Amino acid sequence: MPMRPPVTMPCTTPFASLPVRSVAVKTVRSKKEKTMDVLQYSPQALSEPPSFAPGYVSTVARSPRKPLVRIPQTLTEVTGPADFGERLLRAPVHDMTREGKGEPLGERIIVSGHVLDDRGHPVPNTVVEVWQCNSAGRYVHKKDQHDAPLDPNFTGQGRVVTDEEGRYRFVTIKPGAYPWRNHYNAWRPAHIHFSLFGPCFATRLITQMYFPGDPLIDIDPIACAVPSEARNRMVSRFDIDTTENEWALGYVYDIVLRGRNATPMENPQ
Amino acid sequence: MSDTLVSEVRPLTPWQTVGPFFHYALPWEGGENLLREGVLGERIIIRGRVLDAMDQPVSDAMVEIWQASSSGRYDHPEDNRTEVPADPAFIGFGRCPTNEDGVFTFHTVRPGPVPGPGNTEQAPHIAISLFGRGLLRRLVTRLYFPESEANAHDPILDLVGPERADTLIAKRDEESGGVPTYWFDIHIQGENETVFFDV
Ligand SMILES: [Fe+2]
């Protein structure tokens, strides 16, 4: 086996030593006490999956049927968990192939990308939580009954923080496809689950990253709950520059969170 | 309000379900306990069930809460009101997976009121995100407290309207160990469907 090259990690800072996020204060306050109008983050996209998508059978009894109540974002929604020091979440894991005593089986990959807002601004110092099954398509989860082997050297959970340019990077094993019981011969395309916070409550996102060229994507009811042009945004791309010689294939996956106007509302006075 | 120059807007990354297998990755030890040494305010317990259309418990959901401190201040750079004291011992964020009975529990403090849009004040409330298998995207709701007179003037409850606002009011439960306890069921669907927000 070739020598493992040194890995350059943009995200090796432990959560506890992260700088306090510098967020430009965009709150507009009047002189009257208790008044606080806040700049709004962009609305939910029309391309979001609906809560009710009957092809994904579990949504049938788990989707609201009354219309959502539209509310303005208030101070509650434009704030959110920001101090991810040691008090919140679990320890960072940048290399999911080093959680066991030996090397996990499967195709070693590097996944990296930028977390941006919809105006193209980087989202720095935000936690990215990831989890996935092993290369055989099996999760380390007591309710996963798929008849595929567990890998004693692979758990499949990681946690990284974006750097000042909004970049993240982690090393893992390419996950396998796995069957589920949604319909006859149902198989999930290979995917990695992503959970992000962004700057506030309104920017929270949980999604799944898929792999290019996977024939299962376009017949998967979960991926297909998103219209096809938007579905492509969840598919990573192979990248030879992220790939490391004689060591691991590289995939790039950029994530776009809701943003808001950089220019504060003009004060009429 | 003046129009601002909008440069090219990038399309958002869509939501996908958290799926059933998040337990070994997302919850963390003590994630449901927001109390730290020296925290200010009145300790309370928030407990409830997540229920589906048939009122069956949803045992593979995850609840996150976000709330202000007892003085009504958010632990976030954007809440920079100097006249409201911050509580360095209180973050205001918690996460709890539901158990086999669909039950979640949080140990926290009673939040103070916070400013609302315009000249309004929001009644004490807790913002809730619900995730789970079968939920393609997050459901957002709020918990309000039954004894709070400020509910009558809350701008968000006002938008909800009197017919459904009661789905957002927790019920006072038996105290556990002298700690005021509130029960808040989240009905994803059905006759008592909880109000969910597009925010
Ligand atoms: Fe999955």
Side-chain angles (χ1 to χ4, degrees):
Chain A
M1 204 178 92
M3 284 286 290
R4 183 178 198 148
V7 185
T8 48
M9 287 295 209
C11 313
T12 46
T13 326
F15 293 164
S17 60
L18 282 174
V20 175
R21 263 183 343 164
S22 55
V23 173
V25 174
K26 293 162 186 157
T27 302
V28 180
R29 302 180 57 196
S30 91
K31 286 175 187 153
K32 287 189 181 176
E33 239 183 308
K34 291 174 181 169
T35 300
M36 188 172 274
D37 284 328
V38 296
L39 277 185
Q40 304 284 294
Y41 282 80
S42 36
Q44 297 280 1
L46 294 172
S47 55
E48 289 301 346
S51 288
F52 176 52
Y56 175 16
V57 176
S58 300
T59 68
V60 174
R62 295 184 173 189
S63 48
R65 293 307 158 85
K66 300 197 164 86
L68 301 180
V69 175
R70 185 87 188 261
I71 60 170
Q73 291 156 14
T74 72
L75 192 58
T76 304
E77 289 79 26
V78 302
T79 57
D83 178 7
F84 285 98
E86 56 200 3
R87 300 185 293 179
L88 292 183
L89 307 184
R90 289 149 64 177
V93 174
H94 306 97
D95 189 341
M96 290 150 73
T97 70
R98 294 190 175 193
E99 293 291 281
K101 287 188 180 130
E103 297 251 3
L105 292 172
E107 191 181 333
R108 190 186 299 116
I109 61 170
I110 298 158
V111 179
S112 74
H114 281 85
V115 181
L116 305 166
D117 72 17
D118 57 12
R119 316 277 154 163
H121 303 123
V123 181
N125 302 327
T126 198
V127 177
V128 180
E129 299 169 283
V130 290
W131 70 104
Q132 62 169 88
C133 61
N134 68 22
S135 61
R138 177 83 185 263
Y139 283 92
V140 181
H141 191 285
K142 59 182 188 299
K143 286 191 177 166
D144 186 357
Q145 300 298 318
H146 176 35
D147 181 21
L150 285 166
D151 184 337
N153 293 313
F154 192 72
T155 309
Q157 57 93 23
R159 216 160 286 97
V160 296
V161 175
T162 59
D163 68 10
E164 287 303 315
E165 271 91 57
R167 279 176 305 196
Y168 72 91
R169 182 182 188 278
F170 61 92
V171 176
T172 186
I173 293 293
K174 189 172 181 187
Y178 60 83
W180 57 316
R181 294 181 179 149
N182 187 69
H183 56 274
Y184 176 72
N185 216 7
W187 292 79
R188 292 299 327 280
H191 61 275
I192 300 177
H193 295 268
F194 275 67
S195 165
L196 297 97
F197 290 89
C200 68
F201 181 84
T203 54
R204 188 93 173 82
L205 175 69
I206 291 184
T207 187
Q208 300 182 23
M209 183 201 98
Y210 300 98
F211 289 86
D214 189 334
L216 294 171
I217 294 172
D218 287 340
I219 55 171
D220 174 53
I222 292 177
C224 290
V226 174
S228 62
E229 73 281 0
R231 196 180 310 148
N232 295 334
R233 295 176 214 146
M234 303 186 292
V235 182
S236 58
R237 67 182 162 83
F238 169 72
D239 184 49
I240 192 66
D241 293 326
T242 304
T243 298
E244 294 198 12
N245 184 38
E246 296 191 36
W247 191 63
L249 293 181
Y251 290 88
V252 169
Y253 182 56
D254 292 333
I255 296 163
V256 181
L257 304 179
R258 299 162 74 183
R260 59 182 173 181
N261 287 331
T263 319
M265 286 188 290
E266 272 177 28
N267 191 327
Q269 272 88 49
Chain B
M1 188 169 101
S2 68
D3 282 345
T4 48
L5 267 181
V6 178
S7 54
E8 189 195 344
V9 176
R10 290 163 195 250
L12 302 176
T13 304
W15 275 82
Q16 294 275 268
T17 179
V18 73
F21 300 137
F22 57 84
H23 296 83
Y24 68 93
L26 296 184
W28 77 94
E29 177 99 40
E32 77 298 337
N33 186 356
L34 287 73
L35 303 172
R36 300 289 184 285
E37 182 132 2
V39 70
L40 302 172
E42 185 191 0
R43 297 182 172 200
I44 58 170
I45 294 170
I46 303 291
R47 186 170 284 148
R49 287 171 303 172
V50 179
L51 301 161
D52 71 8
M54 284 80 75
D55 274 345
Q56 292 302 300
V58 177
S59 60
D60 45 14
M62 183 176 86
V63 178
E64 287 180 355
I65 62 172
W66 172 242
Q67 66 165 94
S69 69
S70 58
S71 62
R73 171 110 178 223
Y74 285 106
D75 179 28
H76 188 276
E78 188 125 350
D79 190 352
N80 56 355
R81 294 168 295 148
T82 46
E83 69 275 20
V84 183
D87 182 353
F90 190 70
I91 299 175
F93 176 71
R95 179 186 278 174
C96 183
T98 55
N99 66 17
E100 285 304 315
D101 302 315
V103 173
F104 59 90
T105 304
F106 290 99
H107 299 263
T108 184
V109 296
R110 188 188 302 277
V114 296
N119 216 6
T120 60
E121 183 175 74
Q122 302 190 67
H125 65 275
I126 295 177
I128 295 178
S129 296
L130 176 66
F131 315 88
R133 178 176 65 83
L135 272 63
L136 277 162
R137 57 201 277 191
R138 154 176 85 156
L139 294 177
V140 172
T141 186
R142 283 184 172 202
L143 177 156
Y144 286 83
F145 295 90
E147 57 280 86
S148 175
E149 286 171 15
N151 290 346
H153 311 289
D154 182 83
I156 301 301
L157 288 177
D158 195 42
L159 284 171
V160 170
E163 270 174 38
R164 299 185 65 207
D166 63 317
T167 68
L168 304 179
I169 315 285
K171 291 180 174 57
R172 188 71 187 247
D173 203 11
E174 275 176 46
E175 302 205 348
S176 18
V179 182
T181 302
Y182 293 91
W183 191 269
F184 187 69
D185 281 343
I186 303 175
H187 294 264
I188 298 177
Q189 194 192 117
E191 216 175 307
N192 304 313
E193 189 176 305
T194 301
V195 166
F196 299 106
F197 294 114
D198 175 2
V199 57

